[in-house]
Amino acid sequence: MEWDLTVQLINATVQIEHSVGGERRTATGFLVDAPRPDGTPRVVLVTAAHVVEPAEGGQVRLGWRDETGDGGWRFNPLPAPLTAVDGRPYWTRHPERDVAVLEVSAPPEFARAAIPLAWLGDDASMGEEGIGPGDELMALGFPRGLSANRAGFPILRSGRVASWPLWPVSAFPTFLIDVAMYPGNSGGPVFTLGGARGWTHPVILGLVTQQVELNSERLGIGVVTHAVFVRQTIALMDQGAPVLAAVG
């Protein structure tokens, strides 16, 4: 069933809390199973760089969820450090795009839920045989910090690709989706199940990085940064960027 695949992505998506100017803010991130170059397992949190850059106190809180044993769930956010004592960042950002990754030590159920690196889209995903304008996509997130329930699961929404051209990604690094976005959606995955194209798994086409406004009026449009830049940021981490496992 296609909704089984959607549930996989729901389970891999977490709320991020941080503080800016003493004000609590929320955002969204999703977990990727991205083994190190030597093949050892690694879980990476993906989000927008503007989520972690201004975070005060050198940490964020990740909204883990615990099964209670009676079929229920409990929201259980825990701190994740962003910097070492000497101020070095433990996260890696893309040099040009609003994308950041952080290695985390996720609870076992979240480590199992992390999506395979192969599910991240590439240039071909938006090419002639891929996604085009008007195609329906889905997005997961926590608009204004709101979750689907007290257990802290993300809210699923859908909309259509609202811009053209979509590729090559080097020329068009972002695209628009016709979905109202709010603070809290930043960093959330945008994906398609893609069964009509013969794809056997969901394809993450990008992450939400901005809501479109004109004269302080929200236009009901979101800006999505292509998943290619997530792949590139993970590759930068592999080249030696410092990392630290978050508390799980």
Side-chain angles (χ1 to χ4, degrees), residues 153-169:
F153 283 92
I155 294 173
L156 176 68
R157 307 181 72 183
S158 65
R160 296 189 180 275
V161 177
S163 60
W164 176 261
L166 302 172
W167 59 285
V169 172

Side-chain angles (χ1 to χ4, degrees), residues 7 25 28 36 47 54 103 111 121 130 138 147 159 189-190 199 211 217 238:
V7 170
R25 297 186 182 180
T28 306
R36 297 183 183 87
T47 190
E103 182 177 355
M138 287 176 278
S147 58
V190 175
W199 296 337
Q211 59 179 327
E217 179 184 4
D238 289 337

Side-chain angles (χ1 to χ4, degrees), residues 41-215:
R42 177 179 61 184
V43 176
V44 170
L45 175 74
V46 178
T47 190
H50 75 260
V51 171
V52 293
E53 278 181 324
E56 296 172 345
Q59 68 176 20
V60 294
R61 290 173 65 83
L62 302 183
W64 304 127
R65 301 176 291 267
D66 298 334
E67 290 190 72
T68 59
D70 58 358
W73 292 81
R74 179 176 65 96
F75 186 55
N76 184 29
L78 292 172
L82 295 175
T83 57
V85 175
D86 61 6
R88 289 181 299 110
Y90 286 133
W91 56 279
T92 303
R93 75 156 295 162
H94 194 279
E96 298 175 346
R97 304 299 165 200
D98 190 5
V99 177
V101 297
L102 170 70
E103 182 177 355
V104 295
S105 178
E109 59 270 28
F110 279 89
R112 291 191 296 269
I115 65 169
L117 184 64
W119 288 15
L120 294 175
D122 54 21
D123 224 358
S125 304
M126 309 297 274
E128 293 179 356
E129 301 300 323
I131 296 297
D135 283 344
E136 186 176 37
L137 303 180
M138 287 176 278
L140 287 164
F142 299 90
R144 296 200 179 279
L146 184 66
S147 58
N149 43 50
R150 289 185 297 176
F153 283 92
I155 294 173
L156 176 68
R157 307 181 72 183
S158 65
R160 296 189 180 275
V161 177
S163 60
W164 176 261
L166 302 172
W167 59 285
V169 172
S170 57
F172 301 96
T174 63
F175 64 93
L176 303 180
I177 181 172
D178 184 18
V179 175
M181 296 295 178
Y182 299 87
N185 282 115
S186 290
V190 175
F191 65 98
T192 179
L193 298 180
R197 292 173 174 80
W199 296 337
T200 58
H201 57 75
V203 176
I204 307 294
L205 298 170
L207 68 156
V208 176
T209 51
Q210 190 179 350
Q211 59 179 327
V212 178
E213 295 185 0
L214 181 63
N215 299 325

